[in-house]
Amino acid sequence: MAQETDFSFNVPPEFEKITKNIKSIAIGLVAVLVIFSSFYTVETEEVGVITRFGKYVSKAQPGLNFKVPFIDQVQYVPVRRQLKDEFGYRTASAGVNSTYRKAGYGGESLMLTGDLNLADVEWVVQYRIDDPYNYLFKVRNPDETLRDISETAMRQIVGDRTVDEVITIGRAEVASEAELIIQQICDEYELGIKIEQLVLQDVNPPDPVKPSFNGVNQAQQQRETLINQARADYNRVIPRAAGEADQTIQQAEGYALDRVNTSEGEVSRFNDLYSEYIKAPEVTKTRIFLETMEDILPKMGQKIITDDKGNSVIPLLQLQMNGAKVKANNDGGTP
């Protein structure tokens, strides 16, 4: 009878111990991976958007959160952070003394104005993500879409205005209108983006025509200066002349009123005198004569008085003194 061959061999105890340790380590690593993949942290400025096999599930608020390991995926969206897009330049380094780089970005900022001139318009759009779901799932590449919308809106608005309006007086209007149009298009596309501010950083003519444009601006500024000086002179001279005219008119009116009142007083005096004259003509004549002589004689100095035939001569009289005595007698004073 044939004998069976035994191919079994004995495993050393040391090998069995190593194998058990490897299994324990592997199980421990898997457990650690499962634990670490089950929890995640959302920063203060973010929300977490959870997708399961690519489908939206929920949003996670800031803090420590749980998800199904190896199945759920988390995308972090900075909803509380202000973002910005720069056009015509880029910020090379931000800080107290920020530096900017313009080379290579002239195509974004060079635009045709409504009067067929060129303007170099640099601007920045500041925005926030207000709807993470729309931002991630409604439009592909929302950041690039926002840049295209911003550039299109700015070119439309600049194309409706003259170069002078864009560079000088119309900058604020251009910025506000562009912000409104960009927000409207973002809402139509459901980008989930809220435009907070649009700022025109710098608006200049192209480099080849800058000297000529600066000369025109200087001439306009001189024109405005001369106009302001003329207005200042006008405001200084015209009110003074008007005041002097009013003063002259008031003086004339006062003089006229004084003359009228004086004349009316003389007329009233004459009428009163005439009324007394009618009552006693001789007495009134004598009184008038005496009052007249009382006023005249003191002013005549030394006089010689004769009668109408020249027969007698009255000696030289101190008529001034006598006149003063007569006046005193008439007033009831002591002669």
Side-chain angles (χ1 to χ4, degrees):
M1 186 172 180
Q3 294 181 354
E4 294 181 355
T5 304
D6 187 6
F7 293 98
S8 62
F9 59 91
N10 295 324
V11 178
E14 293 81 2
F15 184 78
E16 290 181 356
K17 185 177 181 180
I18 293 174
T19 303
K20 291 180 180 180
N21 290 335
I22 291 175
K23 290 181 180 179
S24 300
I25 292 172
I27 293 173
L29 289 175
V30 172
V32 171
L33 289 175
V34 169
I35 293 174
F36 274 96
S37 63
S38 299
F39 294 94
Y40 61 95
T41 301
V42 179
E43 300 296 335
T44 305
E45 296 180 347
E46 302 172 335
V47 295
V49 178
I50 303 173
T51 58
R52 185 171 299 158
F53 300 113
K55 182 180 179 180
Y56 171 78
V57 176
S58 63
K59 290 190 299 184
Q61 298 302 320
L64 186 64
N65 296 272
F66 173 81
K67 67 181 180 67
V68 179
F70 308 115
I71 296 177
D72 291 349
Q73 301 295 325
V74 180
Q75 300 182 62
Y76 301 98
V77 182
V79 295
R80 297 178 181 86
R81 185 187 310 161
Q82 188 179 73
L83 308 174
K84 69 176 181 178
D85 278 340
E86 298 170 335
F87 297 86
Y89 72 100
R90 296 294 185 272
T91 301
S93 63
V96 177
N97 296 320
S98 301
T99 58
Y100 303 96
R101 183 177 66 255
K102 183 173 175 60
Y105 304 106
E108 297 176 349
S109 59
L110 196 62
M111 301 182 184
L112 185 67
T113 61
D115 55 354
L116 302 181
N117 286 303
L118 290 176
D120 189 9
V121 183
E122 299 176 2
W123 77 99
V124 58
V125 177
Q126 299 174 351
Y127 65 95
R128 292 183 188 272
I129 300 172
D130 64 343
D131 192 330
Y133 177 81
N134 289 347
Y135 180 77
L136 292 176
F137 303 111
K138 286 299 182 75
V139 177
R140 181 179 299 173
N141 297 326
D143 295 330
E144 293 297 327
T145 302
L146 177 61
R147 291 192 64 86
D148 294 339
I149 292 172
S150 301
E151 188 170 344
T152 300
M154 185 60 69
R155 291 186 182 277
Q156 173 186 342
I157 296 170
V158 171
D160 292 337
R161 287 166 173 78
T162 65
V163 65
D164 290 335
E165 291 176 338
V166 175
I167 294 178
T168 56
I169 60 176
R171 293 185 57 170
E173 184 179 355
V174 168
S176 62
E177 188 171 347
E179 180 181 342
L180 180 62
I181 293 176
I182 294 171
Q183 185 63 65
Q184 289 177 348
I185 298 177
C186 288
D187 294 340
E188 292 177 3
Y189 288 0
E190 296 181 335
L191 284 182
I193 289 175
K194 174 66 175 178
I195 305 299
E196 292 196 336
Q197 190 177 16
L198 188 147
V199 180
L200 292 179
Q201 294 291 93
D202 199 6
V203 184
N204 290 309
D207 291 337
V209 298
K210 271 187 179 180
S212 300
F213 189 85
N214 291 334
V216 173
N217 284 339
Q218 290 178 359
Q220 290 178 347
Q221 291 175 1
Q222 291 177 357
R223 174 177 173 270
E224 293 296 328
T225 300
L226 294 175
I227 291 175
N228 292 333
Q229 290 177 353
R231 288 176 177 172
D233 293 338
Y234 175 88
N235 293 332
R236 183 178 63 255
V237 173
I238 297 302
R240 183 176 63 185
E244 293 176 353
D246 292 339
Q247 182 181 3
T248 303
I249 292 173
Q250 291 176 0
Q251 290 176 350
E253 291 176 349
Y255 177 77
L257 182 62
D258 179 69
R259 294 294 299 171
V260 170
N261 292 336
T262 302
S263 300
E264 290 178 351
E266 293 178 352
V267 169
S268 177
R269 178 174 175 275
F270 179 81
N271 291 333
D272 294 340
L273 186 61
Y274 180 73
S275 299
E276 296 297 329
Y277 176 79
I278 294 300
K279 296 178 182 178
E282 294 300 328
V283 174
T284 303
K285 285 181 181 181
T286 303
R287 180 181 175 184
I288 293 174
F289 175 76
L290 293 176
E291 289 177 353
T292 303
M293 290 296 103
E294 182 181 353
D295 292 335
I296 294 175
L297 291 178
K299 302 175 183 179
M300 295 177 61
Q302 296 181 352
K303 310 301 185 295
I304 297 176
I305 300 176
T306 63
D307 58 6
D308 55 352
K309 297 181 180 180
N311 295 328
S312 62
V313 177
I314 300 176
L316 186 62
L317 301 176
Q318 297 293 335
L319 294 181
Q320 292 179 348
M321 295 178 58
N322 295 335
K325 294 178 179 180
V326 172
K327 182 176 181 180
N329 291 331
N330 293 333
D331 293 339
T334 303

